[in-house]
């Protein structure tokens, strides 16, 4: 089974559509959405409906901190992010807000945990930015695999032969063997708001049957997405981010 793993979509419908099409071209038979469908971008309702429209192909979905905030829960955010959440909440239908509010913080399969941030305290939305934090998340999950988002740049942590955790920076398009003889925590990268000064959307393809993980960087219509952010009156930084200027 090949699962396309999407995180931090951030209301970028152009990026989401490009990743879905690319993943299907790579043989994806299911999708996992690792939170933050909304926030920052100009198409929150369209992104929610596209995800809901995946139907039975949506294997799992979890709630991110921006989803929680847009659904009305208090979340600590900087002024620009809080402005975007207020803008977003005003444009969602009651059904769309209810959908975000009802998402689980964590989903667990027999050997995989799906979560937006750390599995240690999913409701705290703690960033996983070090090998120690990856270990804490994996220990709490108690599964060989943890897949998450929240940190917008892709990363991979795994246990070495000596049991120590090692950080690995994946290369787009290169398959990585991820056998269950080790433990793995994968941050799949942001679909809608990458923060590495380049254009394009990140997602990862997990071939569960063959135990291989491939990160992909997908081109999309950045100009259209950025233009809509500016036309909506959202902070300029969110447009500059996807244009690769920051």
């Amino acid at each position: 089974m090949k699962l396309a793993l999407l995180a931090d979509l951030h209301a970028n419908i152009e990026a989401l559509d490009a990743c879905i099409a690319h993943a299907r071209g790579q043989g994806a038979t299911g999708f996992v959405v690792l939170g933050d469908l909304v926030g920052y971008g100009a198409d929150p309702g369209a992104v929610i409906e596209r995800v809901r429209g995946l139907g039975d192909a949506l294997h799992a979905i979890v709630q991110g901190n921006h989803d929680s905030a847009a659904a009305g829960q208090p979340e600590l955010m900087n002024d620009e992010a809080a402005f975007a959440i207020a803008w977003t909440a005003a444009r969602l239908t009651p059904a769309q807000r209810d959908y975000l509010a009802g998402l689980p913080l964590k989903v667990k399969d027999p050997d995989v945990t799906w979560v937006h941030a750390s599995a240690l305290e999913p409701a705290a939305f703690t960033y996983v930015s070090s090998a120690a934090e990856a270990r804490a998340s994996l220990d709490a999950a108690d599964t060989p695999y943890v897949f998450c988002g929240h940190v917008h740049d892709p990363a991979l942590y795994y246990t070495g032969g000596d049991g120590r955790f090692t950080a690995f920076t994946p290369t787009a398009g290169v398959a990585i063997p991820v056998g269950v003889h080790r433990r793995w925590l994968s941050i799949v990268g942001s679909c809608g708001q990458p923060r590495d000064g380049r254009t394009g959307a990140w997602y990862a393809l997990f071939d569960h049957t063959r135990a291989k993980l491939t990160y992909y960087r997908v081109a999309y219509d950045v100009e259209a997405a950025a233009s809509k952010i500016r036309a909506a009156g959202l902070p300029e930084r969110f447009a500059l981010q996807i244009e690769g200027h920051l």
Side-chain angles (χ1 to χ4, degrees):
M1 184 178 191
K2 288 185 178 180
L3 294 171
L5 316 181
L6 300 150
D8 298 285
L9 286 55
H10 286 303
N12 187 335
I13 191 67
E14 287 80 9
L16 175 58
D17 283 345
C19 286
I20 290 174
H22 187 277
R24 284 181 167 145
Q26 297 298 317
T29 54
F31 293 84
V32 175
V33 176
L34 295 166
D36 277 1
L37 285 70
V38 303
Y40 301 145
D43 284 308
V47 165
I48 292 171
E49 295 309 319
R50 190 73 83 249
V51 169
R52 295 176 70 178
L54 291 171
D56 291 342
L58 186 60
H59 176 79
I61 181 170
V62 296
Q63 184 187 65
N65 54 313
H66 288 254
D67 305 324
S68 174
Q73 294 300 312
E75 297 289 342
L76 185 61
M77 294 184 167
N78 63 44
D79 290 347
E80 289 181 328
F83 177 88
I85 286 300
W87 183 94
T88 296
R91 284 154 181 81
L92 297 180
T93 67
Q96 290 168 341
R97 284 195 292 275
D98 288 346
Y99 180 74
L100 294 180
L103 295 177
L105 289 165
K106 181 176 70 176
V107 173
K108 199 165 181 177
D109 287 340
D111 61 348
V112 182
T113 297
W114 315 101
V115 64
H116 180 61
S118 174
L120 180 60
E121 292 182 278
F125 297 114
T126 304
Y127 288 94
V128 176
S129 303
S130 68
E133 290 160 344
R135 177 192 290 275
S137 182
L138 272 161
D139 286 349
D142 196 26
T143 53
Y145 302 104
V146 171
F147 292 97
C148 62
H150 203 31
V151 176
H152 285 210
D153 296 328
L156 182 63
Y157 298 91
Y158 67 98
T159 53
D162 57 1
R164 293 194 301 177
F165 271 75
T166 302
F168 178 79
T169 302
T171 299
V174 178
I176 305 164
V178 288
V180 292
H181 60 294
R182 303 185 191 278
R183 294 197 294 159
W184 304 88
L185 183 141
S186 165
I187 300 169
V188 305
S190 174
C191 171
Q193 274 274 325
R195 293 173 177 165
D196 56 0
R198 299 165 51 204
T199 60
W202 282 109
Y203 84 97
L205 189 68
F206 179 42
D207 187 334
H208 203 168
T209 304
R210 300 176 63 194
K212 288 191 175 181
L213 178 67
T214 308
Y215 291 73
Y216 287 104
R217 194 72 186 261
V218 179
Y220 68 94
D221 191 346
V222 172
E223 183 178 352
S227 295
K228 286 194 279 188
I229 289 173
R230 294 188 172 101
L234 290 162
E236 174 70 9
R237 183 168 68 86
F238 303 151
L240 293 173
Q241 200 91 58
I242 62 174
E243 290 173 331
H245 297 314
L246 296 178

